[in-house]
Every structure is written in structure tokens, then in C-alpha cells.
Amino acid sequence: MDETSKNVPENDIKLPTGEKLVVSSSPHLSSPERTSKIMGRVLLALAFPAAAGIWYFGLRAAWVIFLTTVFCVAAEAVWCKLARKPVKATILDGSAAVTGVILALNLPPHVPFYVPLIGAVLAIWIGKQIFGGLGYNPFNPAVVARVGLLIALPAIMTTWPAPRGMNSGYPSFKEFKTSVDAVTCATPLSIAGTMPKSTDRYETSHFRKIDNVELIKKYALGCKGGCIGETCIPAIVFGAILLVCFNLINWRVPICYVGTVAIVTGVVNYFYPGVTPSPLFHLVTGGLMFAAVFMATDMVTCPITGTGCVIFAVGCGVITSVIRIWGNYPEGVSFAILFMNALVPLIDKASALRPFGHTAKPKEVAK
Amino acid sequence: MSTIVLVSVIVMGSLGLLLGLVIGFFAKIFKVETDSRVDLVAELLPGANCGGCGKAGCADFAKSVVSGENPPGKCPVSSAEQINAIAMALGIDAGGGFKKRAVVRCGGDIHQVARKINYNGVLDCASASLIAGGPKGCRYGCIGMGSCAAVCPFGAIELVNNLALVHPEICVGCGKCVSACPRGVIQLVPIESTVHVYCNSPEKGPEKRKNCKVSCLGCRKCEKTAPEKFKVEGFLAHVQYDAPVLPTEEDVEAVKCPTGALLTAARHKEIETNDPEFSVNE
Amino acid sequence: MNKSSRSVMTFKNGIHPVYHGKELSESAETRVAPLLARYTVPLAQNAGKPPEVVVNPGDHVKKYQLIAKASGFVSANLHSPVSGTVKGLVDVPGPMGVPAKALEIVPDGLNEEMEPLPAIDWRTAEPKALLDRIAECGLVGMGGASFPTHVKLSPPPEKEIDTLILNGAECEPYLTADHRLMLEDPESVLAGAAVMGRILGIGDRVFIGVEMNKIDAIHRLNEKAEAYGVNIIPLKVQYPQGSEKQLINAITGREVPAGGLPMDAKCVVQNTGTAAAVADAVLRGRPLVERIVTVTGSVVKNPGNWKLLIGTPVIEAIKLAGGVTEEPGKLILGGPMMGFAQKSFEVPVSKNTSGILLLAQDQAVNYVSGNCIRCGRCVQGCPMHLMPCAIAAAVESYRFDLAKKHHVMDCLECGACAYVCPAKRPLVQHNRRAKAEIRRLTAKK
């Protein structure tokens, strides 16, 4: 060695041995983002409508949410065990819990225990795992389960207990623990669905009963019959803001979805007020807001590009409006989302991005 | 009630009849003439669609056999009896080439390759070989991630201690693994051959030695012992598979390869599968 | 280009890494490394053909003496970094994991130097003379691709060039070599830029793009920029701002056509380090034998920037930085986003080594190939506006034709997609595989 070694106290320098060197492709750094963190944040956003649902429908609603989530996670674990997939890693990604909570918030508050059980199996097995698990499912698992339950158990799925404080307008702490099973009510949408339709341009009176400023205020706050999570609009909006801030959903989806429904129902309502209630009524009733924020935006089953998301959301909005106005079912969001989910590969293809350096006209590049 | 039943029966019945007639009509006028011999040959073929014959599949091969493009013997999968049956059915010569088997010319399992590298990434041989030359120290040996096993239509390749191992009794020599291997370690050899050089590295002996305990050092011991059966090219010994007499176990014993790169297939398999801690030096 | 509004420019998409790691070494002044016992100078340090060795084992060489001569147009000369004795050709671990040939030189400690080549007055000299000097001094792109500089500066006559951009973005986390260079020797950078502008016959459209996190460097450059007729462009801190195509887009607004080169957008892009080397070659007559290298990482005891001679083994550079505090999990030549992971500490520093980075074991990414949840973060991050998730899905099912349809050949391998992927999918590796496979298939045809 030359003078270098004399100058530097060689023994004090700890040199690496290279035993633990890992060789991998670049990049060698990664963002702290993880699938489980994403799902955790979605759960956080879902806590708002869930809390509102529990507040309006009592502890029974909490029980349904708890049961559905546990069943979903259990269904996932059972499948992974049978399919010899890693159980713990799959559960810990949190996707089953998210599906469970979304499904629960789509159930009436008083359903018997077997409804969450069937729903969980439908969602996780039929909706997700048979396609290959998280990321491979073409349809939103929670929507698959909800539609399955709606068709299989129509009576249970369309019997709505009245929320606490239905008459007074605001629920109180006193009756929090009391069961609400006894009193049932109809959802504003189902009432509207049973009303006779009239194409008379000036006939509006019969919708007035359910579509007026006073009632819409009440509906918006959550004082109406409906699924656990869909009734309280402010809670859903809070959740939406959270999701957009966390960059977990594409803001175009809820905005375009809700906007399309408002425009379509608004146009129909303007020309034929006797056919359908006002757009405001459509926005605050039923599962539209919840679905637009939490179900249509599911990363796996909505298009990747911004343009694709707009097409997807507008499609959802049109189908929802058509079912609501002219269909047999009072509510159409689930069917709309399922239908548009099926079109996502096509939308993705149609809305593919223009890569950097590619002109609109495909230019022959130098060989 | 009865009218509903009646109407449905009549409607469905007549619909079925009508559609049946339509299908029958079109089947008649658009009939494609096929050579019945093609179907016959296809039936006699194994139906594995492995592509070892160079055709797109067994049906394609059957067509080429009937047209005389290929002799039946070109199918690597069928046994001699099956090929004879095809030849007899068509009244042609069985033809045929050598029956081949694949062999992975590398003995560098996880215990033999000295410089192991902690690789992190896609578990696919071709992808791994792009990153810093692959996870093992040797740049010519088996990468051990089983891209060959994944493409084998017969499940004849097993991964043992990060080394691909061909089970000769299952392998039919279709050659899919040969093209899947990014290192070109796999070679098709005559089915009768039992002795192979389990090394594929053309590097100089000492270089190889640094990376792998069981590499061929190019010492020419085998060539000196049986010059008609082994040949050393550069620093790597090769079994002369086209020689009139193939080397046998006795030859291996006579050569006493110092690193153990020259082995019988049976012994190689025994080393890899039975004794994971086996090391030639220790 | 909007020269008037000197606002912070940038390109579309891209990512913002949460941890830049630049604070480890950005305030450390560049130090000169002491002489080592031996140097292994790799032969193939340039894109294209490696140069031919012109010395024999046992020869005595002086510092700056030519040891390997360019073997064609796309090739670069190689000069001895020290005075000493040539031991001969040896195999050293190459930066790509494949052993490379290198000339081993043992210094004699006498530090004999070649006579410097005569300085050229660049303001009056013929472009051809300047170009020849650059070729003679063995200059290559010092940013990473190591394309011979004289080739880049002599575009085919049918290509019109109206813009020269110097890449001072240094968007890679951890690296500070260019930053220190611009701070400590702004005049060399500016002079090099002006020389290259003269070679290309560009009057006023010579730009140096610098990211806003190097505001001190921007100020230092601006002090002297006027005299050299160079414009300093502040750029937004965004990865990969320093990618040729993105830099051109940010500064001029032009798009380099797919599969094309910067000259197709009438631009030439050079690294700031290269510019300083050009100044050395033209004004001081010195060939390229050393470069500034950032030796950094959280496990390095004293991270900093060193002027290292080409051929210094990495382990010696780490020794200069005081060794390590714990066993590193990764050794990377270059930056953490596009650099190459090494398996040996014997890799020598070459002309394009901008950094030696040691990551702690828990710091380096662990690719797990989780399920793609189609979150679209890779699509949002891709500076080339590709869909990495779709490409990876195609590659995983060996559908390289499909990957090609998704424009995988336009991929820069910048790593933005894999960085943001929440499922930690090795997206860049998939893209590399697809590119290699498609190139092989087209070569077959």
C-alpha cells in the first residue's frame, strides 16, 4: 500500500462486505404507498357514512356492518385456504374488509344474519376470487353481492325500517338502543315508483307530496328509509372529499355520474313534471350519492384514464336515470354500475392515452 | 292453463324444427370436404399439441403427414408402435429421426454455485438474466427460476435446489424448453445417451472454479481416456452424441472427472434429489 | 419556448419522490481523492465500439497519455488517469453485472503529466477544430448513456439544430455531483455550453435547465451567464425532469417524436458535467480522466462529493467517505431511480458514474409482484404517457405483441411507475424484458 493507507487509520474504517447486497431492477427506491394503506384509507372514508347509518338506524346497523365485514374476511380466508393462496397476506391487503363494509352499507339496517353471510360469499367468491382475486375481478364485488341479494331475497332487501326520529326529524340519544324493527317505512324512491305517471305537461301535484323543499332537507340529512350507508348525504360528501384528497378515486367519476343523473332527470322533469320528480329529489334519495362516491369509483373496476372515467360515469348516470324514470325497479345504480363495469375493457381501449411523441397521425419512425 | 302449455309446446316445437331444418340445409350446401385420413392420423397421434414436430399442433402435423410433407416418425412424442400404426394405416414409410431427450447441462444448484446473489424481482429466467446477469455467479449456467418447467407441456422438468432437472422418463424431446431457456443450457440429446457433461460455461477453468464447484475445468482427462466419446472445445468438454458408441457408466468411472461435471444422468439426479448437502469436494 | 416569462417550467405527468436524500451530500464541497495503489480503467466506457488498446503491459504511461484509441466514429479515446506502469488487461466486474475488460495501471507516485494540448480560443476557432479537440480528449456523455460527445455534436447535415440544452436538472434523488459542479465551477459549465453552442452554430438558444432545488446554483450560473450568452432556465422539481425528452418538452415545448432522437426536435442535450469537460478539453487542453462522483447513502459515514479518477474501484471511494455505519443492502452506480444495482465493490468508476449510492437494507425497495389493483398511479406518473400496468399484464402472460401495442418501446425506464406502484410490482423489469424480447424478434426478421 502507498501513502493513502498511512494517512487514513485503516482499522477505524468499517467497509461493507457485500454479503447482503441485493440485486434488482431499477428503481431502487419506492414510495411508501402500499395496497393495504390504500384500503385502510378507503375504510377511513367509509367510516363517515357508516357512523351516520349507525346514528340513524341504531346499534342494529352496527351489528350488520360488523357481521358483513367479518363474513367477507372469513370468506376470503376460506377461499385462500382452499385455493392454497397465502391467507394472511391476502387478508392483510384489506380489500375484503372494504368490500364487506361497502356491502354492509348497501343492506337494509335490520337484515337477519344470513343475508350478510350470503352476501359475503357472493361478493368474495363469485364477485372476486373466481376471477383470480384482487385486481382481476371485472365487476365490483360488493355490487355483485347486492344485486344477487336483491334478486334472490327481494322481500328482505326492500323492507326498510324507519330511521330513529323519522317523525321528529332528529334522532335522540335516548332511543339509541331501542330496536327499530317494528316500524317500517318506504323509501322516497319506491313511493315515487308506485305513483302513477302522467305525461301531462302541467300535472305535477302528486309528486309534490314527496318532493318539496322541507322533505328534501330531511332526506338529505338522512332521515329517510334506505340502506345503512346511503341515507346521510353530508357524511357521504365528507367521505368523498377524503377520498379525493388521498388521491384514491378519480374525481371525475362521482362528479360526472351525479351530474349526468341531474341533467337527465332535470330535462325529463322540465318537460314532463308528471313522469319523474325533480333532479334534486333524485340526488338526495336512493343510493346514488353513495354509489357514485364509493362503488362506481372502485379502482379495480373503473377505467384507468381520465377520459375513460368520464365515459364510464356518464354511462352509469344515463342507465341509472333510465331505470329510475322508466324501469320497474325504483333504484338503478347497482345495475348501472354492473353494466358499465362490463364495458370497462372497451372504454379503456377507446380512451387509451396518446403516448408522448406520438402525433395524432401515426408517423413512421426511423428504422 | 292448458292452452298456455299447448301454445308453448307448439311454438317451441316448431321453432326447433325450423332451426334444425335451417342448420341441416346449411350443413349440406356448405359442407367442407375433409380427408378422412387426416382425422385417422390425428386420432392416432398423442394429441399433446406440444409443437415438437415443428407444426402448430397435432392436427396440423396429421395434415402434413397425409400430404407427405413429414414422415410419421417426426412426432417426438409417439412411441414406435404408434408411429408404425400410423405408417401402416397410410401405407407409407415410418421414417423418423432420432428420439431425443432434453438435458440441462448444468450442475450448479444452490449448494454448488459459490457466489449467490440476492436477487429481487420477476421470477422468470429471461427477466432475471437482464438484471446484472442473473442471480447466480455463473453467467452460463441454469438460472433456476423454472421458465423451462413452466413451458414444458408434459411437466417433465422439476426444480431442485434452484436447478432445473429433466426427468428423462417423462420428457419426449419436444424442445420447447430449449427455446425458453435464455442461457441455452438445455440441449436435445439422443434418448440412449446416459452420460452428460453438466456444465455449459465456456469460461476459463479458474474463472469457472471461482463461481461453481462442479464446473468442467477443461482438464481433458475425459478426452484422454476416451477420445472418441468426449471432446474438449475451448475449456468445456462435450459428449460426442453423434459418435457410434455413446459413453456409459464405465466410462464415467474410468475418467474420474475431478470436479464431477461428467456424470451419468442417474447419478446426477441422485445427487440433486437425494442429498441436498452433497458436495463433490467435501 | 417562452423565454420572456422565465417561469418555472416543467413537463406533464412525472412523480415527486417523497425523500430526495440530497441533503446528505449537497453541502459537501468537492474534494480531490488521494492517489491509490492501483486503477482499473474499463475499456468500454462509451456507447458504440470500445476503443483499441495502444499500450502494452509493462509500458510506462504518463498522466493524460492516450492508452486506448477510438476504433471508429462512434467510439471514444481513453487516457491514463495517472502516471505509472500498465500491468495489462484484466477482468473487472462491469456496471451491468457482466465482467468487463479493464487496463490495470499501477501509479508510480511521480505524477508525470503529458504536456497539455494547446488551448483554443473558442470564440474565433473553427467548429471543426473544436469538435476534433473534443473527440481527441475522449469526451462522452457524463449523465449516464455515455454517448461520445463529438458524435452528438455532429448531427447529420439534413437535421437542423436550433437549440442546445444543458441538463443540470439532476432529478435523481441523492445525487449532487452536478449541483456541486455548477456551484463550484460555473464558469467551466458556461464556457463548455458556449463552446458546444459554437460547434452547433447556435446563437442565443443555449439553455441550462436547473431544478429549483438548486437555487444557489441557478444564482451562481446567472452571475456569469450573460458573458457566455447562455440562458439559465429554472425547472420544477419533478422526476424525471432530467430525461432528455422531458427536458426538451419543458424548455421548448416540443415533443421528440416516438423512436426519434432529440435532433428530431432540433435539439441537442448535453450533461453539465460534459460541458465542464468540454471546457477542460478546449480551454485547458486536458482529456477526460476524472469526474465528480457523489458517494452517498444513509449508511455511508461521511457522504460527500469527490473528484475521482476514472478507474477508481468503488470500494476505495467508500473508504474515502469513511466507510459504512452498517452493512448496506444495495450498492448502486448512478442514482436510485435509474442506476444499476451492483453485486461487487470492485466495480471501477467510469466516465458516466455520477454517483455511488449505498442504501440501507430496509431502505431499498423489495419487489413483491402483488396484484395490480388498477389504481392508475403508474399511468399518472409515466412521463411518456404510457400504461405500465397494461404492459406488465401483457408481459406476465408473455404477450409481447400486446406490450408493443401499448408502446412499450417508448419506455424510458425512468422508474416512475415502479416507484409509485402500491403493489410493488417490478414494472420496469417487465418493460425491459418486453423491450429486449421485441428487439430480438425484430432482429430475427
Side-chain angles (χ1 to χ4, degrees), chain C residues 250-327:
Chain C
I251 293 180
T252 68
R254 295 174 195 164
E255 276 190 23
V256 178
L261 294 168
M263 63 171 129
D264 295 315
K266 300 183 185 176
C267 292
V268 167
V269 179
Q270 295 282 5
N271 183 265
T272 43
T274 318
V278 166
D280 265 351
V282 172
L283 307 180
R284 292 181 268 284
R286 283 306 184 195
L288 174 58
V289 295
E290 60 183 0
R291 67 156 298 144
I292 301 179
V293 178
T294 307
V295 185
T296 186
S298 54
V299 299
V300 175
K301 207 165 177 201
N302 306 312
N305 307 287
W306 275 269
K307 215 164 217 180
L308 295 180
L309 295 169
I310 306 300
T312 307
V314 161
I315 190 79
E316 297 292 341
I318 295 168
K319 215 186 261 176
L320 287 176
V324 292
T325 51
E326 58 175 289
E327 190 63 35

Side-chain angles (χ1 to χ4, degrees), chain C residues 172-229:
Chain C
E172 281 265 9
Y174 286 98
L175 298 189
T176 55
D178 287 353
H179 184 184
R180 289 312 300 183
L181 174 70
M182 290 186 283
L183 211 56
E184 292 165 13
D185 195 4
E187 258 184 275
S188 283
V189 175
L190 292 164
V195 169
M196 288 192 279
R198 174 154 177 86
I199 292 171
L200 292 165
I202 297 165
D204 58 336
R205 288 179 61 90
V206 179
F207 303 105
I208 304 182
V210 187
E211 271 192 359
M212 283 297 279
N213 56 5
K214 289 175 271 293
I215 199 87
D216 46 353
I218 297 177
H219 288 319
R220 280 304 298 274
L221 288 169
N222 264 329
E223 284 166 18
K224 305 272 170 59
E226 205 75 22
Y228 291 93

